[in-house]
């Protein structure tokens, strides 16, 4: 899937403490200006993937009964930044 001009994409799989993929984990991506640029839920494969602005972004993920998880991600233009698995606690 192509990304908008001068943008990139983030991808991450979300797991529960037992290592199982989490359905409908909520996520937000905040850009360098500190404003939310995108939000949503993990897809049917328990993966979040969304286009976002290039540069430094902050990702926050939460799901019922688990502590929120936050991470930084540097996104390059026209590139998928795959952050790997994230285990919620």
């Amino acid at each position: 899937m192509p990304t908008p001009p001068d943008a990139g994409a983030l991808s991450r799989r979300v797991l529960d403490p037992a290592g199982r993929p989490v359905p409908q984990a909520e996520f937000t991506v905040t850009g360098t200006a500190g404003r939310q640029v995108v939000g949503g839920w993990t897809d049917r494969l328990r993966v979040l993937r969304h286009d976002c602005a290039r540069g430094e972004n902050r990702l926050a993920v939460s799901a019922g009964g688990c502590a929120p998880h936050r991470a930084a991600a540097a996104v390059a233009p026209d590139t998928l930044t795959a952050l790997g698995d994230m285990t919620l606690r």
Side-chain angles (χ1 to χ4, degrees):
M1 176 183 333
T3 57
D6 209 28
L10 284 176
S11 173
R12 175 158 252 182
R13 190 168 71 141
V14 181
L15 306 174
D16 69 14
R20 296 179 300 248
V22 177
Q24 296 294 301
E26 185 175 9
F27 70 91
T28 58
V29 177
T30 305
T32 54
R35 294 187 319 186
Q36 179 179 331
V37 293
V38 70
W41 293 269
T42 50
D43 65 16
R44 65 181 178 79
L45 300 174
R46 303 343 185 221
V47 172
L48 65 89
R49 185 213 179 276
H50 218 290
D51 297 338
C52 54
R54 71 178 180 166
E56 190 68 25
N57 289 273
R58 300 282 306 161
L59 170 67
V61 179
S62 62
C66 297
H69 180 87
R70 291 175 176 73
V75 176
D78 201 29
T79 301
L80 173 63
T81 302
L83 300 175
D85 293 347
M86 168 193 293
T87 302
L88 299 175
R89 305 280 173 214

